[in-house]
């Protein structure tokens, strides 16, 4: 592995983008809400519920449902995107649900739904991770029973080097050597993986390296989230 | 918080009949207005507007499109609004419903009819290529008066919008690179002001609860006392005397509001 690998913005391979910051209570109407910023990516999330599930045929009599909606504001990216859902956002919405469900305890809310709305105000890669981080805080803020919160970040590989937290350039424009691999992941504070996606190509060994790197980084994100939740003033 | 009860409605009306509002404001007094510029760096212009607890984001993007056949030398304007379910338990996902469509169209007309944007300067090649200005409105928290928050957001976002670079050879926009030029605007800034009739009183900048018991809503785009757009909402009728009072209220409010906004419109 080449030690002298240089990232365009001068970060070390295992260095995440900064600043990272979090704030809870950004949408007064919501039962819970939060903002998470990482580098140039800004995500907000709001939680409504548990409330009665509509349409009725979607109700689950066994337990409550977590319903996430991920969306990018049309002006959050350089080339304006058409407002409204698309295939990418539909997939990320579902991924977000899966990332959060392992820690959310909805057994006591049969036939009910907890809605989580996630919006990107400014996007610079890593939006699904920022969205999940914001959503986890918003759920906690809403007082939804949870085992814990989750923290999310992407690791990846640029050419041959495993790196943390790809930015927009590294994610979509980096073409050198083996190119770029993006691996968004979500962890619980005790280090369990609740979500992983891989885009690119990477060996098993390097994937493990990437996972460990992300898991370490999530510890720091967890502290930021926790601190933001402690600072709620209402 | 989802609905305003009849009891609350009656209390609002009773208070108003004595010239009082729940939050202690005068009938023609806005809540605190906060404007934050450049909230999204990929947008050509973007702002966050807070009026009390109401919050909207407005972003301006530019695109390239074909001119309409009846105006081959003019740029286009496209305004959209989304009432995000994130911003209120009343809003649901799905295709835009009437309130979102109306909001977008009222703001669109306010900008268009006042000739705020100089569309003649947005022509790249006559009959073939012109700039399209997208004004996109998103609600973040609805505590009443989204119309005026969106209107204020639209004009301040436009005022701060830079023209992106355009590559003449490829005919494409170089997104992420901006020229020193601003989006071409005229001097007359159309300010959106909405008046509501509740009982026999007239107020501006209603909270969510006040908006719920409003009998008539009038939104106007006004620039230096000149009304360039107007829309009445809700199904009660208005007498001519009522209308006179509303016009006086709108005119007076425009002057005051413009002073407050002036520093953001330079």
């Amino acid at each position: 592995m080449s030690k002298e690998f240089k990232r365009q913005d001068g970060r070390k391979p295992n260095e995440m983008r900064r600043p990272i910051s979090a704030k809870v209570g950004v949408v007064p109407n919501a039962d819970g809400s939060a903002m998470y910023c990482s580098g140039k990516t800004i995500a907000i999330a709001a939680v409504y519920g548990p409330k009665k599930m509509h349409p009725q045929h979607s109700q689950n009599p066994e337990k409550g449902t977590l319903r996430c909606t991920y969306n990018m504001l049309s002006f959050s990216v350089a080339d304006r995107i058409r407002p409204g859902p698309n295939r990418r956002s539909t997939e990320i919405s579902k991924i977000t649900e899966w990332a959060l469900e392992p820690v959310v305890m909805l057994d006591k809310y049969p036939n009910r739904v907890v809605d989580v709305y996630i919006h990107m105000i400014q996007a610079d890669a890593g939006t699904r991770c920022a969205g999940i981080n914001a959503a986890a805080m918003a759920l906690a803020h809403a007082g939804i029973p949870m085992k814990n919160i989750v923290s999310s970040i992407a690791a990846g590989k640029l050419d041959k080097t495993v790196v943390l937290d790809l930015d927009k350039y590294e994610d979509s424009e980096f073409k050198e050597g083996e190119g770029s691999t993006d691996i968004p992941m979500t962890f619980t504070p005790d280090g369990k993986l609740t979500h992983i996606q891989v885009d690119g190509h990477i060996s098993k060994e390097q994937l493990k390296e990437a996972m460990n790197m992300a898991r370490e980084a999530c510890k720091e994100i967890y502290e930021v989230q926790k601190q933001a939740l402690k600072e709620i003033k209402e | 918080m989802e609905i305003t009860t009849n009891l609350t409605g009656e209390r609002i009306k009773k208070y108003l009949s004595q010239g009082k509002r729940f939050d202690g404001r005068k009938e023609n007094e806005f809540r605190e207005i906060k404007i934050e510029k450049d909230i999204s760096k990929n947008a050509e212009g973007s702002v966050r507007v807070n009026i009390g607890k109401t919050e909207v984001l407005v972003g301006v993007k530019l695109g390239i499109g074909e001119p309409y056949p009846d105006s081959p030398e003019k740029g286009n304007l496209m305004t959209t609004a989304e009432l995000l379910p994130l911003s209120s338990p009343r809003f649901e996902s799905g295709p835009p419903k009437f309130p979102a469509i109306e909001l977008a169209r009222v703001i669109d007309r306010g900008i268009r009819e006042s000739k705020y944007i100089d569309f003649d300067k947005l022509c790249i090649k006559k009959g073939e290529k012109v700039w399209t200005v997208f004004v996109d409105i998103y609600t973040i928290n609805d505590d009443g008066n989204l119309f005026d928050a969106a209107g204020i957001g639209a004009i301040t976002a436009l005022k701060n919008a830079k023209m992106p670079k355009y590559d003449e050879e490829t005919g494409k926009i170089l997104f992420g690179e901006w020229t020193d030029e601003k989006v071409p605007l005229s001097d007359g800034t159309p300010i959106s002001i909405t008046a509501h009739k509740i009982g026999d009183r007239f107020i501006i900048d209603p909270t969510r609860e006040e908006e719920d018991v409003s009998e008539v809503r009038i939104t106007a785009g006004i620039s230096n006392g000149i009304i360039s757009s107007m829309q009445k909402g809700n199904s009660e009728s208005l007498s001519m005397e009522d209308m006179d009072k509303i016009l006086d209220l709108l005119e007076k409010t425009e002057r005051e509001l413009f002073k407050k906004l002036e520093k953001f419109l330079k």
Side-chain angles (χ1 to χ4, degrees), chain A residues 101-224:
Chain A
E101 270 167 353
V103 293
V104 179
M105 301 151 79
L106 294 178
D107 341 3
K108 295 204 173 71
Y109 302 98
N111 301 325
R112 318 226 128 217
V113 62
V114 175
D115 261 319
V116 184
Y117 301 105
I118 302 161
H119 295 279
M120 297 302 136
I121 292 173
Q122 186 172 287
D124 189 69
T127 59
R128 72 196 67 190
C129 298
I132 290 168
N133 288 333
M137 288 188 285
L139 283 162
H141 182 216
I144 305 295
M146 293 166 87
K147 293 174 190 152
N148 213 323
I149 57 171
V150 293
S151 310
S152 184
I153 196 163
K157 186 168 68 73
L158 296 173
D159 190 9
K160 293 181 169 59
T161 309
V162 173
V163 295
L164 188 66
D165 196 18
L166 277 65
D167 66 16
K168 179 88 197 317
Y169 165 80
E170 293 172 334
D171 182 28
S172 52
E173 284 169 54
F174 184 89
K175 296 275 185 290
E176 288 164 43
E178 295 178 11
S180 128
T181 305
D182 184 26
I183 314 167
M185 286 172 263
T186 306
F187 288 94
T188 64
D190 53 0
K192 292 203 179 86
L193 188 66
T194 70
H195 142 243
I196 182 167
Q197 289 170 287
V198 179
D199 254 311
H201 44 100
I202 189 166
S203 69
K204 194 172 77 188
E205 284 67 35
Q206 286 204 305
L207 179 58
K208 281 185 190 167
E209 194 188 333
M211 283 171 63
N212 282 325
M213 204 182 256
R215 203 164 77 152
E216 279 305 307
C218 280
K219 287 181 187 162
E220 187 184 335
I221 294 169
Y222 178 60
E223 291 305 319
V224 172

Side-chain angles (χ1 to χ4, degrees), chain B:
Chain B
M1 85 137 288
E2 288 215 28
I3 50 160
T4 301
T5 57
N6 289 343
L7 202 62
T8 309
E10 274 161 35
R11 185 59 68 83
I12 288 174
K13 283 181 195 168
K14 202 171 143 202
Y15 259 59
L16 260 184
S17 67
Q18 302 158 15
K20 289 194 287 192
R21 296 169 81 169
F22 278 11
D23 50 14
R25 279 185 292 152
K26 287 193 261 82
E27 286 157 295
N28 63 344
E29 193 177 336
F30 261 86
R31 290 167 287 181
E32 192 191 354
I33 301 175
K34 284 194 274 185
I35 298 173
E36 190 189 333
K37 295 189 270 190
D38 297 325
I39 51 116
S40 189
K41 64 154 190 120
N42 287 324
E44 270 67 87
S46 61
V47 294
R48 167 182 288 119
V49 177
N50 289 86
I51 303 183
K53 275 191 188 170
T54 289
E55 178 173 332
V56 301
L57 305 184
V58 181
V60 171
K61 288 295 294 175
L62 271 96
I64 288 182
E66 274 179 36
Y68 289 104
D70 58 349
S71 56
E73 286 179 272
K74 283 185 196 298
N76 300 325
L77 169 68
M78 175 112 101
T79 310
T80 72
E82 275 201 69
L83 305 179
L84 297 179
L86 159 131
S87 59
S88 166
R90 298 177 185 205
F91 301 153
E92 286 175 0
S93 309
K97 297 181 186 71
F98 175 72
I101 295 168
E102 187 192 24
L103 175 59
R105 291 183 59 84
V106 167
I107 302 304
D108 186 284
R109 282 205 299 277
I111 299 168
R112 196 184 295 274
E113 301 306 324
S114 65
K115 308 207 162 35
Y116 187 46
I117 300 177
D118 191 346
F119 288 113
D120 293 328
K121 290 190 182 145
L122 289 173
C123 177
I124 296 169
K125 192 167 181 208
K126 185 182 169 183
E128 284 178 25
K129 238 178 208 183
V130 295
W131 290 98
T132 299
V133 181
F134 293 98
V135 176
D136 295 324
I137 301 158
Y138 291 92
T139 62
I140 299 297
N141 198 67
D142 173 20
D143 190 35
N145 206 15
L146 288 174
F147 275 84
D148 294 356
I152 291 168
I155 54 171
T156 43
L158 279 167
K159 197 75 195 182
N160 289 290
K162 300 179 289 271
M163 292 296 288
K165 282 194 181 153
Y166 171 71
D167 187 338
E168 286 192 19
E169 277 177 32
T170 61
K172 284 192 177 140
I173 300 175
L174 301 167
F175 282 114
E177 296 177 44
W178 286 278
T179 63
D180 294 331
E181 273 174 74
K182 299 255 176 168
V183 170
L185 301 174
S186 68
D187 294 334
T189 310
I191 295 184
S192 154
I193 302 165
T194 307
H196 288 262
K197 179 172 186 262
I198 300 175
D200 54 4
R201 293 284 181 153
F202 302 91
I203 61 162
I204 58 154
D205 189 31
T207 60
R208 184 70 259 171
E209 284 178 335
E210 288 170 336
E211 209 164 69
D212 281 339
V213 294
S214 161
E215 289 146 41
V216 179
R217 184 197 75 210
I218 297 264
T219 300
I222 315 178
S223 170
N224 296 325
I226 306 295
I227 297 168
S228 51
S229 64
M230 186 174 275
Q231 176 126 319
K232 174 181 170 298
N234 302 358
S235 36
E236 293 285 325
S237 62
L238 272 182
S239 69
M240 279 304 118
E241 290 77 35
D242 286 347
M243 199 57 201
D244 285 346
K245 285 181 192 161
I246 287 177
L247 290 176
D248 287 345
L249 179 61
L250 291 175
E251 194 186 4
K252 195 168 149 231
T253 312
E254 189 238 341
R255 282 198 300 266
E256 289 167 9
L257 190 54
F258 186 75
K259 271 186 215 137
K260 280 189 201 171
L261 300 179
E262 230 176 346
K263 65 177 174 201
F264 297 102
L265 295 169
K266 275 182 188 145

